[in-house]
Amino acid sequence: MPPRRKLAAVEAPARTMPNLRTAVEATIAEMSWLEPSDYAMCDVARAIADQIETAVELQQEYVDLIRQCDGDPGLIKRIQKFEAAANVQKAVGWLGVQLQGVLRDLGGAPASRKSMQVTAPTGARLAALRNGLSKPTDSPST
C-alpha cells in the first residue's frame, strides 16, 4: 500500500477585496473614451476578472472538500486532482498581471491616460503623425 499523502487544510481568509467581475465592469463603464474598436479588449478584461473570481470560488470548494474528506481514500484522490486547479495564488498572480495590462491598454491607469492626451509628449507626437498622414502627399509623376 502506498504511503498516504497528508493534505494540509487550507483556511480561506475572509474576503477583503471586491468582486473583480463587478469592479472591472464599473471601471469599463467609467471609460468614456472607449471606441467600438476597444470592445474586444474590454471583453478580455471581463474574461480575466471572471477567471480570477472562478479561482477564488474553486479555493472555497477545495476547503469544503478537505473538511468533508475525513480520511476517505476516494475523496483524497479526488482532492489531489483538484488541488492543482485550486491554486489561487498562482491564478491571481498570473491573471492579475494580465488584467492590469489590459486595463492599462484601455487607458485605465493614470500614466496611460496621460499618454493618450494630445498635449502629452506621446500624444503630441502621435497627433503630429496623424496630422501629417491626413494631408495628401505629392507623389512624383513618372
Side-chain angles (χ1 to χ4, degrees), residues 8 13 29 43 55 59-60 65 71 78 92 115 124 133:
D43 289 343
Q59 181 190 34
Q60 185 56 51
L65 280 173
R78 182 176 165 210
V92 172
S115 72
L133 291 175

Side-chain angles (χ1 to χ4, degrees), residues 33-133:
W33 57 85
L34 294 177
E35 301 281 334
S37 60
D38 298 318
Y39 294 167
M41 288 295 280
C42 293
D43 289 343
V44 169
R46 288 179 183 106
I48 292 171
D50 182 61
Q51 289 177 36
I52 292 170
E53 287 302 320
T54 299
V56 171
E57 292 160 1
L58 278 174
Q59 181 190 34
Q60 185 56 51
E61 189 176 337
Y62 176 79
V63 169
D64 292 344
L65 280 173
I66 290 291
R67 286 190 188 124
Q68 295 171 19
C69 185
D70 198 31
D72 181 336
L75 274 178
I76 290 174
K77 194 173 269 192
R78 182 176 165 210
I79 290 171
Q80 287 171 339
K81 290 180 181 179
F82 189 77
E83 196 172 21
N87 189 336
V88 173
Q89 288 84 4
K90 185 177 180 181
V92 172
W94 171 253
L95 294 171
V97 173
Q98 291 183 12
L99 179 58
Q100 179 184 18
V102 169
L103 291 173
R104 184 181 51 242
D105 289 347
L106 288 170
S112 61
R113 281 194 302 278
K114 184 177 180 182
S115 72
M116 290 169 53
Q117 296 173 358
V118 175
T119 58
T122 303
R125 178 72 180 130
L126 183 58
L129 286 171
R130 285 182 178 154
N131 286 336
L133 291 175

